[in-house]
Amino acid sequence: MSLKETIRRVLKEELNTNFFLRRVDLNKVRKILPVNAKDVYHQTKSYGLFKFELTLRAVEVILWNEYKLGWEDLPESEEIEFVTKVSDLLEEDIKLLYHKYSE
């Protein structure tokens, strides 16, 4: 097993909400939200889905760009929980983007 594979395995075993909190800077998420807003708006059918999907994309971009971790490397339930919390924290920013494209 290569070093990279070993590191991935260890990270998978240790992943939890604290993993996300330590690695995902909310300011970076806030900055990335507008990048995908238009596409996500046209791909979703409701504000709730838009809010979640937009935040999910931003979190996954950060994890990939900084740690080379893709969605398949992350525990699904913890990621969903984290993304839901972050989307609630950034709701005002997300609402502005949603209304920008719904007009």
Side-chain angles (χ1 to χ4, degrees):
M1 183 178 292
S2 73
L3 179 59
K4 185 176 181 179
E5 291 170 340
T6 302
I7 291 170
R8 281 186 191 267
R9 185 182 53 79
V10 170
L11 284 175
K12 276 184 178 181
E13 292 171 2
E14 294 179 356
L15 288 177
N16 57 36
T17 302
N18 289 332
F19 167 84
F20 291 101
L21 288 173
R22 286 192 311 265
R23 288 168 177 80
V24 179
D25 180 347
L26 295 183
N27 289 321
K28 288 182 181 178
V29 174
R30 182 178 278 119
K31 289 178 184 176
I32 293 173
L33 290 176
V35 174
N36 293 309
K38 185 176 182 179
D39 288 339
V40 173
Y41 177 80
H42 292 293
Q43 294 171 357
T44 55
K45 297 186 187 312
S46 69
Y47 171 72
L49 191 55
F50 172 81
K51 178 178 154 183
F52 181 82
E53 288 292 324
L54 186 61
T55 308
L56 177 65
R57 284 193 189 188
V59 167
E60 289 185 343
V61 162
I62 291 167
L63 289 172
W64 178 255
N65 288 341
E66 295 186 17
Y67 305 101
K68 299 299 181 225
L69 291 171
W71 62 268
E72 66 280 353
D73 298 316
L74 305 169
E76 184 177 1
S77 61
E78 287 88 346
E79 184 178 22
I80 290 170
E81 180 183 337
F82 179 75
V83 167
T84 301
K85 287 179 183 178
V86 171
S87 70
D88 289 342
L89 289 171
L90 301 176
E91 183 151 16
E92 291 305 314
D93 297 295
I94 294 169
K95 276 183 184 178
L96 289 173
L97 292 167
Y98 184 81
H99 291 301
K100 176 180 178 179
Y101 294 107
S102 66
E103 295 176 344

